[in-house]
Amino acid sequence: MNEFGSLDGRLQRCLAERGISDATEPQRIAIPTILSGEHVLLVAPTGIGKTEAAMLPILQKLSEGKSEGIRCVYVTPLRALNRDLLHRLREFCDALGLRIAVRHGDTPQSERTAQSKNPPDIIITTPETLQIMFTGKNLRKHMKSVRHVVIDEIHELAEDERGAQLSVALERLADTAGEYQRIGLSATVGSIEEISGYLAGRGRKVVTLKVSAVKDMNINVESPPADKVDQKLAERLQTDAKHLACMKRCRDLVETHRSTLFFVNTRDSAEALGVRYHLWDENLSVGVHHGSLSKTVRIQMEDDFKSQKLKALICTSSLELGIDVGSADFTIQFNSPRQVTRLIQRVGRSGHRHDATSYGTIVNTSPMETAESLVISRKATIEELETFTIRENPLGVLANQLIAMTLSQPRVDKDWAFEIVTRAYPFRRLLRADFEEVLRLLSDLHMIWNDDDSFRRKTSGRKYFYDNISMIPDERTYLIREVSSRGVIGTLDESFVASYAEPYATFVARGRTWRVVEVAEEEVLVEEIMEIGATPSWVGEEIPVPYEIAQEVGAMRRLGAFDIYPADEHAKEDVRRWIEAQETFHLPTDKRLTIEQGDGVMVINCCFGSKVNETLAKLIASLLTARFGESIGVQAEPYHIVLETPRNLKANDVLRVLRETEPETLNHLMRLVLRNSSYLRWQFIHVAKKFGAVRKDADYKMLNVSRLIDVFEHTPIFEEAIAKTLWENMDVGTAANVLQRIQEGAIEVETGPISPIGNEAIGNRQALMQPRRADKTILSALKTRLMSEDIILVCMNCRTQKRGRVESLPERIKCAKCGGVVIAAIRPYAKKELSILRKGAAAEDETKALKKIYKNANLVMAHGRKAVMALVGRGVGPDTAGRILARYHIEEYEFLKDILEAEVNYARTKRFWD
């Protein structure tokens, strides 16, 4: 049967002109169902025609009847998807005489005005812009004609607060337009019932259509051996032999394929790899793509990749979604993707045709990464996917939506508002008492007028709404601007700028290294240089490892069964040797937890995943801190917890916590622990902003967060901050189950000295646990960097200047012109210092200038302290503070240490001091 045969002849001609004669599987199963008017959730891999499967039958329906107003709303999570959709659908719409338009934050005002006066039949938008559309009188009238809503990449939206916000908007739209057909398009996920419930809301039935994601997918796992021959290249690229071996293997894979998507898990990893490839070979056609690069740079990278100017694009989850990047024929995943669904989505981006096999390889830098990749690959091949649940009753979103309602009507009936909100899936179990409590708080905060049976808009509420349309947490960002071209390269988070971006500092962006010329109020001015700089950090980077993945890695250690995993023999042998190296120690597995004690450090090896280990880490550190009266540094990872311990703390003290903590009290204990944690402080400020209790542009460093928490402790703001922190960072339910199994003996606990696996855990945290004295590697790297520094030598006698490198200087330096030996060494870009040494400067001017430099030195010292204190709220400890002070040439480390320790004490349970 030809499903296209039921479509309008004009649509069939458009398809034929594109060379499309046969429907893909999603189109075969979806087109008849959507034409019948059912609500549909279509779950299928990226790149096999989901968009056409949804829109062809909708276009058919729209062409059969004419009416005024917006008749179809297409919602996407990304503006970049909007561009692609407009391009893909415009030809179909033109053939049928339908009008289609995009509306989002970048849409020009003239175009918005035109849409308001003469609305398109189909509008493509984002969840945030849909919120704004309710506030316009004309747009609200046009939306009364809506008969179809399509939500693209619905799995991306449903899991977070943007999705909760959208779900209420969908119910408001149903109240405005009447019931309309709902279509959800989702990539392969493990919780289809949750997504279906989210799409339906209360009282509707959704038909779920699913297409397998892995029947034409080929995945391999590799762990390339290190080659000592490349040691010199490894030193030049400031990496180790194993990482270089992985980079070489990835380069080989790129060069043997036409177009390769090169996935990494974080933006800093993308930048670190990008800059090393370009330093290795400037002619290597590899680009970098992630969300913190400017829109212009991202579009350029996408276009260059589609046109095959770039053979590979190093990217993050920014390219997991359905953005059109052309015909990629291969996917590389650098180290474990952490989750099965991510691997399927990423590998599915290659072979981007419905009849093509998708090929992908995971290249790993360590046995731990390899073991995790083996597990994820096996699960992917049989579609054993992670499950998730949608968070219920996010009160910050509720506050946002109640204020939003006041902007579209003069008086909002409370019963009507409660009915609308509770029809949305995330709020289906919302209690009326919690609803009323949020209204009372908003009234106290002067966001609304709260009457007996209704609530009304206040002027401050309107400003709040437009400041808080987005539910994404706010962190101030700085533009990165190239000083000569004035072009914008990307953005940096405030935390990175505050701690690192000073003049002459270097960092990596867009796979290139940049030197800071100036830090302005809203931007960082930079120039490009040819060396390796620091890799920026960005908020919300790490992908959590699920409990089920970590447990199977533990089971692999215990059973030693490798035949069921898709990998080359070297990768399997790598993991086998890694496990054998542990044979004289207790091996941590899915059924065994080990506690290993060293000098001032303790490692708990536990295969429970990111969120469970985070929960246990907070529990252990807080109870032991209370018992011993000393702070305990803690860092949790998916397979271990590392504690920086007082010398009188023993392994049995940790064991006692695990065996004596009653599992049913864990939720209450974690609420108490979070009360004074840095986790809660950051989350509390975000939630307070979303309620309007704190201005959006308020500076975190200037707020007395402890005082704010005291004031709002018994309000929905505090409850929401606690609930959100527990939801996003921890898994109290599973952790309680783990405690129960430990106490019942189902999970055995062994103690002993630090093992090879324990040493890996400590080594992985080198950035957080610095040696007391610099070791040979550190000194060697420092020497190499110092010797390659450029300097200007200025003779203090005749003022002659000479530029050169430190490594080229003779043992005894003297002026080549006058023979003078009093020589000043100045950084090349230190223009102020050079100006006071220029030839012919009057003595009195020179004296004044030198006094100015002395004064500036004191200012630098003050700024150094300011920078340190600015980092206090982010958990920076005394050792890191010392390094920052050293960078500012400030010596009185001990003077500030007591102050710093007092200020940062609350953050010690969050992480180790660097």
Side-chain angles (χ1 to χ4, degrees):
M1 176 182 174
N2 181 7
E3 279 68 25
F4 293 154
S6 61
L7 299 177
D8 188 289
R10 292 167 292 178
L11 287 175
Q12 293 186 52
R13 283 193 293 274
C14 283
L15 290 166
E17 288 169 4
R18 293 186 182 187
I20 302 172
S21 56
D22 296 321
T24 64
E25 187 175 351
Q27 293 161 0
R28 284 196 297 272
I29 63 177
I31 288 175
T33 311
I34 293 173
L35 282 172
S36 71
E38 300 274 10
H39 302 301
V40 172
L41 172 63
L42 176 58
V43 181
T46 300
I48 57 174
K50 284 202 300 284
T51 299
E52 287 76 12
M55 288 306 296
L56 288 175
I58 289 175
L59 291 170
Q60 170 83 14
K61 286 189 166 189
L62 295 179
S63 68
E64 293 170 352
K66 293 290 183 181
S67 65
E68 295 297 320
I70 299 168
R71 295 187 285 158
C72 176
V73 177
Y74 197 114
V75 182
T76 76
L78 296 175
R79 295 176 187 178
L81 285 171
N82 294 355
R83 293 194 306 270
D84 286 342
L85 280 165
L86 186 63
H87 175 72
R88 290 168 66 180
L89 297 177
R90 178 166 275 160
E91 185 181 346
F92 293 123
C93 291
D94 289 346
L96 296 174
L98 299 173
R99 295 175 60 246
I100 185 170
V102 166
R103 189 181 182 98
H104 52 58
D106 292 337
T107 305
Q109 184 57 48
S110 58
E111 195 172 330
R112 297 183 192 203
T113 303
Q115 292 171 2
S116 182
K117 293 178 180 177
N118 187 19
D121 298 286
I122 303 164
I123 196 156
I124 303 170
T125 190
T126 58
E128 291 75 20
T129 302
L130 181 60
Q131 297 286 324
I132 297 174
M133 289 170 66
F134 283 106
T135 65
K137 181 179 178 181
N138 288 338
L139 282 173
R140 277 203 311 276
K141 183 181 73 173
H142 298 322
M143 287 198 294
K144 289 182 179 180
S145 301
V146 170
R147 294 296 171 262
H148 312 274
V149 171
V150 181
I151 306 174
D152 204 353
E153 309 289 358
I154 190 172
H155 61 287
E156 280 289 316
L157 289 168
E159 289 187 76
D160 59 23
E161 290 186 338
R162 293 181 77 202
Q165 185 188 47
L166 176 61
S167 69
V168 178
L170 293 176
E171 299 304 332
R172 292 177 66 193
L173 182 57
D175 186 75
T176 300
E179 286 297 327
Y180 50 81
Q181 185 179 28
R182 300 181 179 212
I183 312 294
L185 305 179
S186 174
T188 304
V189 291
S191 298
I192 294 176
E193 297 80 9
E194 279 286 280
I195 301 294
S196 176
Y198 170 84
L199 177 64
R202 195 180 70 207
R204 302 178 190 90
K205 181 182 178 182
V206 168
V207 176
T208 299
L209 307 174
K210 185 176 184 296
V211 176
S212 173
V214 300
K215 62 180 181 180
D216 294 315
M217 189 172 287
N218 187 302
I219 301 170
N220 190 40
V221 179
E222 297 184 11
S223 178
D227 188 347
K228 294 182 180 179
V229 174
D230 294 322
Q231 189 60 41
K232 185 170 287 189
L233 177 59
E235 290 175 4
R236 181 163 75 86
L237 298 181
Q238 296 182 26
T239 188
D240 58 41
K242 179 65 174 179
H243 273 78
L244 181 59
C246 292
M247 287 180 63
K248 290 180 70 176
R249 176 56 180 155
C250 291
R251 180 173 180 172
D252 290 343
L253 290 169
V254 166
E255 291 177 343
T256 54
H257 292 88
R258 184 182 66 254
S259 295
T260 300
L261 283 172
F262 192 143
F263 279 102
V264 294
N265 292 334
T266 62
R267 285 169 278 185
D268 52 356
S269 297
E271 292 291 4
L273 278 171
V275 73
R276 282 166 174 80
Y277 274 120
H278 285 122
L279 282 174
W280 182 3
D281 183 353
E282 184 60 30
N283 296 317
L284 190 63
S285 54
V286 174
V288 173
H289 187 290
H290 60 71
S292 288
L293 294 174
S294 69
K295 175 185 173 184
T296 303
V297 171
R298 292 198 306 272
I299 293 174
Q300 178 193 336
M301 292 293 173
E302 292 164 19
D303 291 344
D304 287 350
F305 186 72
K306 281 188 277 189
S307 65
Q308 297 186 19
K309 290 180 183 177
L310 295 174
K311 280 188 68 67
L313 197 54
I314 302 174
C315 53
T316 60
S317 54
S318 61
L319 286 183
E320 272 179 23
L321 303 183
I323 299 170
D324 181 15
V325 287
S327 54
D329 64 335
F330 196 72
T331 298
I332 294 173
Q333 168 67 46
F334 197 79
N335 281 326
S336 164
R338 308 299 181 222
Q339 297 171 358
V340 181
T341 50
R342 288 189 181 272
L343 179 62
I344 291 174
Q345 288 164 24
R346 291 175 177 186
V347 174
R349 295 309 312 269
S350 66
H352 205 79
R353 299 197 323 272
H354 72 278
D355 58 347
T357 298
S358 296
Y359 291 92
T361 293
I362 310 175
V363 180
N364 297 282
T365 60
S366 72
M368 183 68 258
E369 294 283 352
T370 305
E372 189 173 283
S373 296
L374 291 173
V375 169
I376 291 173
S377 298
R378 184 198 70 78
K379 286 177 172 284
T381 57
I382 58 173
E383 288 193 79
E384 190 176 310
L385 308 176
E386 299 90 4
T387 59
F388 68 88
T389 54
I390 293 171
R391 182 179 166 225
E392 293 187 16
N393 304 329
L395 298 183
V397 176
L398 176 61
N400 174 277
Q401 289 299 284
L402 292 176
I403 295 173
M405 289 176 183
T406 66
L407 270 65
S408 56
Q409 49 189 300
R411 185 180 293 274
V412 183
D413 181 78
K414 289 184 180 180
D415 291 339
W416 173 86
F418 184 73
E419 172 66 17
I420 290 293
V421 169
T422 53
R423 285 198 327 224
Y425 187 77
F427 295 100
R428 64 195 183 280
R429 296 190 182 99
L430 178 69
L431 298 177
R432 184 63 183 252
D434 293 335
F435 174 85
E436 295 286 353
E437 187 63 29
V438 170
L439 281 176
R440 278 193 292 273
L441 177 59
L442 292 176
S443 177
D444 293 341
L445 294 171
H446 306 291
M447 294 291 111
I448 61 170
W449 294 105
N450 188 22
D451 303 325
D452 290 339
D453 300 319
S454 63
F455 54 99
R456 295 173 285 133
R457 178 176 72 232
K458 269 192 171 182
T459 304
S460 55
R462 185 176 186 85
K463 182 179 186 305
Y464 157 88
F465 173 76
Y466 286 105
D467 281 346
N468 292 275
I469 292 168
S470 173
M471 298 309 298
I472 299 170
D474 301 310
E475 166 136 354
R476 184 182 176 189
T477 58
Y478 288 74
L479 294 177
I480 310 168
R481 190 181 295 278
E482 207 274 320
V483 71
S484 58
S485 69
R486 306 299 296 173
V488 175
I489 298 158
T491 62
L492 294 172
D493 283 354
E494 180 182 26
S495 53
F496 182 79
V497 174
S499 62
Y500 190 81
E502 61 185 35
Y504 320 115
T506 61
F507 66 92
V508 177
R510 207 184 71 190
R512 299 286 194 273
T513 298
W514 308 89
R515 175 163 32 218
V516 177
V517 175
E518 181 184 348
V519 180
E521 188 171 341
E522 301 291 339
E523 61 187 19
V524 179
L525 301 178
V526 300
E527 59 186 357
E528 187 175 355
I529 58 172
M530 289 300 296
E531 61 180 60
I532 293 178
T535 304
S537 57
W538 286 281
V539 171
E541 282 284 90
E542 290 298 332
I543 300 170
V545 175
Y547 172 78
E548 294 79 11
I549 299 292
Q551 280 283 279
E552 185 168 330
V553 170
M556 179 196 295
R557 292 175 180 175
R558 176 169 56 86
L559 300 172
F562 300 105
D563 293 340
I564 61 173
Y565 297 106
D568 63 14
E569 284 307 313
H570 193 279
K572 294 178 182 178
E573 184 60 27
D574 201 25
V575 177
R576 191 177 288 111
R577 286 197 303 267
W578 174 60
I579 294 172
E580 288 172 355
Q582 189 77 6
E583 63 184 0
T584 58
F585 298 85
H586 295 296
L587 179 67
T589 69
D590 56 327
K591 296 184 177 181
R592 179 189 292 145
L593 177 152
T594 66
I595 305 174
E596 302 176 354
Q597 185 151 17
D599 184 14
V601 66
M602 194 176 294
V603 180
I604 306 167
N605 292 302
C606 41
C607 302
F608 303 136
S610 301
K611 291 188 175 183
V612 173
N613 282 1
E614 190 68 53
T615 309
L616 295 176
K618 289 288 182 291
L619 172 73
I620 293 165
S622 59
L623 293 183
L624 292 180
T625 296
R627 178 182 174 188
F628 287 91
E630 293 188 56
S631 295
I632 295 174
V634 60
Q635 181 67 35
E637 296 291 344
Y639 302 95
H640 57 256
I641 300 166
V642 183
L643 304 175
E644 183 188 19
T645 60
R647 294 194 177 277
N648 57 340
L649 183 68
K650 303 300 180 187
N652 282 336
D653 296 315
V654 175
L655 185 56
R656 183 177 171 186
V657 170
L658 296 173
R659 286 182 172 164
E660 295 183 5
T661 301
E662 296 179 7
E664 58 270 21
T665 67
L666 186 58
N667 188 65
H668 177 68
L669 279 172
M670 294 317 299
R671 290 176 63 88
L672 293 176
V673 168
L674 288 176
R675 174 63 175 78
N676 293 312
S677 74
S678 54
Y679 263 174
L680 181 67
R681 288 167 173 262
W682 188 88
Q683 192 71 267
F684 181 86
I685 292 300
H686 165 62
V687 172
K689 287 180 179 180
K690 295 308 172 189
F691 272 86
V694 174
R695 291 195 325 272
K696 181 182 179 181
D697 60 353
D699 188 342
Y700 178 93
K701 301 185 291 293
M702 303 302 293
L703 295 173
N704 186 334
V705 183
S706 298
R707 174 62 180 151
L708 280 172
I709 290 176
D710 288 341
V711 169
F712 290 104
E713 182 163 6
H714 301 292
T715 71
I717 293 178
F718 182 81
E719 290 303 315
E720 172 68 0
I722 289 282
K724 193 175 179 197
T725 303
L726 288 172
W727 179 268
E728 291 182 353
N729 302 107
M730 301 180 192
D731 185 348
V732 175
T734 307
N737 179 259
V738 166
L739 288 177
Q740 185 75 41
R741 289 168 62 207
I742 289 172
Q743 292 166 15
E744 291 172 351
I747 298 176
E748 61 179 307
V749 181
E750 301 286 354
T751 61
I754 300 292
S755 70
I757 285 180
N759 264 322
E760 282 182 28
I762 297 170
N764 287 342
R765 306 314 307 166
Q766 280 181 350
L768 297 175
M769 299 170 61
Q770 294 293 328
R772 295 182 181 181
R773 294 183 176 84
D775 61 23
K776 184 177 179 181
T777 305
I778 294 172
L779 290 173
S780 176
L782 179 61
K783 180 181 177 182
T784 301
R785 185 179 66 79
L786 290 176
M787 293 297 281
S788 63
E789 285 283 333
D790 289 324
I791 61 168
I792 292 177
L793 300 178
V794 183
C795 176
M796 300 301 291
N797 181 46
C798 68
R799 314 295 178 170
T800 299
Q801 298 180 14
K802 179 182 178 182
R803 181 185 288 261
R805 283 199 167 196
V806 173
E807 63 187 356
S808 64
L809 297 178
E811 283 289 324
R812 293 179 61 82
I813 303 171
K814 65 179 181 179
C815 177
K817 184 175 181 180
C818 72
V821 294
V822 182
I823 308 293
I826 306 294
R827 289 180 297 185
Y829 298 92
K831 296 176 181 177
K832 291 182 180 179
E833 286 89 336
L834 280 172
S835 67
I836 71 162
L837 297 173
R838 69 182 182 272
K839 189 175 180 180
E844 58 269 29
D845 290 340
E846 191 168 309
T847 302
K848 289 179 182 177
L850 287 169
K851 285 183 177 178
K852 188 176 181 180
I853 282 185
Y854 182 78
K855 181 181 179 182
N856 285 344
N858 287 328
L859 284 173
V860 168
M861 187 180 295
H863 285 305
R865 292 173 183 167
K866 184 178 178 182
V868 172
M869 301 313 291
L871 292 171
V872 162
R874 294 180 176 86
V876 171
D879 292 335
T880 297
R883 291 200 297 278
I884 293 173
L885 292 173
R887 193 161 73 232
Y888 283 94
H889 306 290
I890 300 172
E891 302 300 329
E892 63 270 41
Y893 168 77
E894 293 298 330
F895 174 76
L896 285 175
K897 186 172 181 181
D898 292 341
I899 299 174
L900 284 163
E901 287 195 321
E903 289 289 331
V904 299
N905 187 51
Y906 72 83
R908 278 182 177 255
T909 56
K910 180 176 183 288
R911 63 172 83 181
F912 278 112
W913 295 133
D914 293 359

